[in-house]
Amino acid sequence: MIESWRWYGPFDKITLPEIAQTGATGIVTALHEIPYGEVWPTDRIAARKAEIQAAGFDWVVVESLPIHERIKRGEGDLSQLFANYRQSMANLAANGIHTICYNFMPLIDWTRTDLDAPVARGGTCLRFSAPKMAAFELHMLGRQAAEADYPEDVRKDAAVWFQQSTEQDRETLLHSIMSGLPGAYDRYDIAGLKRALHGYDGIDRATLRANYRRFLEEVIPAAEDLGMRFCVHPDDPPRDLLGLPRIVSDANGIAFALEAVPARSNGLTLCAGSLGANPANDVPGIARRFADRIHFAHLRNVRKDPDGSFEEAAHLEGDTDMVALIDALLAEERRRTAEGRADAVIPFRPDHGHELLSDIGRGTHPGYPLIGRLRGLAELRGVAAALSASHGAAQARA
């Protein structure tokens, strides 16, 4: 497995020399400064790649090449947007970058209600509170249809939180929910979010699926021609939010995505945390089922509460069996190697870490501190080394 690290380029307070000290060899990044829908110019890609290589890394995955909201809504003449997307793909391939992670979540990306929830032995973590999200939808947005999206006990807790909250508490909640958007664009205030949500009026799950299939039909043939690996990131959290359907939240959603255009280049980013937030998801089982189409892995863990809340756990301490998951990925690598596949080695990165020690107060991207992810990478590296040694010993005995 290729140990990699997400870096936000000029937006990141963590430097490439610091990342080098983690032992990671691959960088996962994007041109976050380019607005959605515009072409990524070849010279800008080349400049970013040269910067990464000069620091001793390979640019192993683009995360992400964002999809314009009009494509998700299926709105108007999309031919230019599709053409721009394919041109960006071609420009990346021309620079030797062949793996693209993306998502098809409508309007907002990963969503948390708390960016600095306390951790038992010190430090902070990201948290999704179902009552706070319900309070945001019901009492701040005034979306009364959300009554049907939350059970009664969560709605009661939401009302209590809202009644006791200050204006600063509500501003902090809005900021937290908006913080999952990775680029420099499309942050919303309450009025702006309401307007943006109206753009999705009438778009149900079936419509969003149809729009997603159309997107795949437009780009996967180009990915095949370019020798690219395209890998969808599951919804985070894996549930509908703000009245918007989310369609890649479980094994059925993944199967739809991969079967919509059944080509090897149409693959999956196996995100253990996103999938792990759904109590019905067997994450190692999903990894084994779709192993042949996994092009990239996000390894992190979550601890779930009965009311639908969850928080980021330490990488080996949450509800997902991380040892079993890594074992499944290593087994797939061995299978691909035996087949002689060029994509035998799967890049992974330690996803969302706790803010620990000098991380606290540094102001790094939420979920992407230095020390917390370094701890996660060290733990994951140890698991992979132990499993590989165990397999090697078993093979020697055989």
Side-chain angles (χ1 to χ4, degrees):
M1 297 170 71
I2 300 172
E3 296 181 2
S4 58
W5 190 274
R6 190 171 193 182
W7 178 59
Y8 285 90
F11 297 105
D12 208 323
K13 294 187 177 180
I14 298 172
T15 66
L16 289 172
E18 287 177 309
I19 297 169
Q21 296 178 55
T22 71
T25 59
I27 289 293
V28 175
T29 193
L31 302 184
H32 294 296
E33 64 273 21
I34 296 180
Y36 294 9
E38 293 188 9
V39 173
W40 286 15
T42 299
D43 60 342
R44 298 277 289 278
I45 296 168
R48 186 64 52 83
K49 181 178 179 179
E51 181 182 7
I52 289 167
Q53 289 182 323
F57 298 96
D58 293 322
W59 185 353
V60 292
V61 179
V62 171
E63 186 179 350
S64 59
L65 183 57
I67 301 167
H68 198 280
E69 291 300 316
R70 284 182 53 212
I71 292 176
K72 296 176 187 177
R73 294 192 298 262
E75 177 184 293
D77 181 1
L78 300 175
S79 56
Q80 190 60 56
L81 284 174
F82 286 130
N84 287 358
Y85 203 95
R86 289 190 293 266
Q87 186 61 57
S88 294
M89 293 168 61
N91 293 348
L92 286 163
N95 278 278
I97 304 162
H98 290 94
T99 302
I100 296 175
C101 169
Y102 72 100
N103 72 72
F104 210 79
M105 288 181 268
L107 198 59
I108 58 173
D109 207 301
W110 62 264
T111 304
R112 300 293 184 272
T113 59
D114 299 87
L115 303 182
D116 54 359
V119 176
R121 299 184 66 184
T124 66
C125 70
L126 301 180
R127 179 172 174 80
F128 178 89
S129 163
K132 281 190 178 181
M133 194 69 205
F136 180 77
E137 295 204 49
L138 288 166
H139 302 292
M140 291 174 64
L141 278 180
R143 197 179 75 81
Q144 294 309 307
E147 290 273 353
D149 295 341
Y150 296 94
E152 183 179 3
D153 59 335
V154 171
R155 298 197 306 269
K156 287 181 178 178
D157 289 343
V160 170
W161 180 88
F162 184 75
Q163 290 164 5
Q164 296 178 348
S165 66
T166 64
E167 187 62 33
Q168 182 59 54
D169 292 333
R170 298 168 196 171
E171 290 178 4
T172 298
L173 178 56
L174 174 63
H175 170 73
S176 298
I177 290 170
M178 290 295 104
S179 291
L181 292 165
Y185 304 92
D186 291 340
R187 299 299 192 272
Y188 303 105
D189 58 14
I190 292 293
L193 182 56
K194 287 180 177 180
R195 288 193 296 271
L197 286 170
H198 282 312
Y200 278 88
D201 287 349
I203 296 179
D204 59 11
R205 194 173 311 279
T207 303
L208 190 63
R209 275 191 163 198
N211 294 343
Y212 183 28
R213 182 190 296 274
R214 179 185 177 189
F215 168 74
L216 292 173
E217 290 171 346
E218 291 279 353
V219 303
I220 294 302
E224 290 278 285
D225 292 342
L226 294 165
M228 303 194 83
R229 294 172 289 274
F230 222 64
C231 39
V232 64
H233 187 290
D235 303 324
D236 184 11
R239 54 166 293 164
D240 295 354
L241 287 179
L242 303 172
L244 303 175
R246 291 192 165 195
I247 57 175
V248 190
S249 296
D250 54 20
N252 289 334
I254 294 168
F256 169 81
L258 302 189
E259 293 167 6
V261 179
R264 182 179 287 174
S265 59
N266 179 24
L268 172 66
T269 296
L270 193 287
C271 182
S274 299
L275 293 169
N278 183 341
N281 284 338
D282 171 8
V283 182
I286 288 173
R288 289 188 290 268
R289 175 177 172 182
F290 299 107
D292 184 56
R293 306 279 280 278
I294 294 173
H295 299 321
F296 182 34
H298 290 178
L299 299 183
R300 62 181 171 89
N301 225 321
V302 296
R303 182 179 296 107
K304 299 182 286 293
D305 296 332
D307 68 355
S309 303
F310 63 89
E311 67 183 24
E312 310 283 359
H315 286 73
L316 301 184
E317 295 180 3
D319 296 336
T320 295
D321 186 341
M322 191 62 69
V323 175
L325 176 56
I326 294 174
D327 194 36
L329 295 174
L330 291 173
E332 174 60 14
E333 285 192 336
R334 292 192 296 270
R335 189 190 69 79
R336 295 182 189 183
T337 299
E339 288 185 354
R341 281 175 52 171
D343 63 343
V345 183
I346 300 169
F348 81 94
R349 64 174 179 81
D351 205 3
H352 301 176
H354 291 172
E355 284 197 342
L356 305 173
L357 305 171
S358 58
D359 288 331
I360 297 172
R362 186 171 179 183
T364 54
H365 279 67
Y368 292 92
L370 179 60
I371 305 300
R373 281 189 291 167
L374 172 58
R375 173 187 171 180
L377 178 58
E379 292 175 342
L380 298 169
R381 178 185 294 143
V383 169
L387 288 171
S388 295
S390 176
H391 176 77
Q395 288 291 96
R397 289 193 299 269

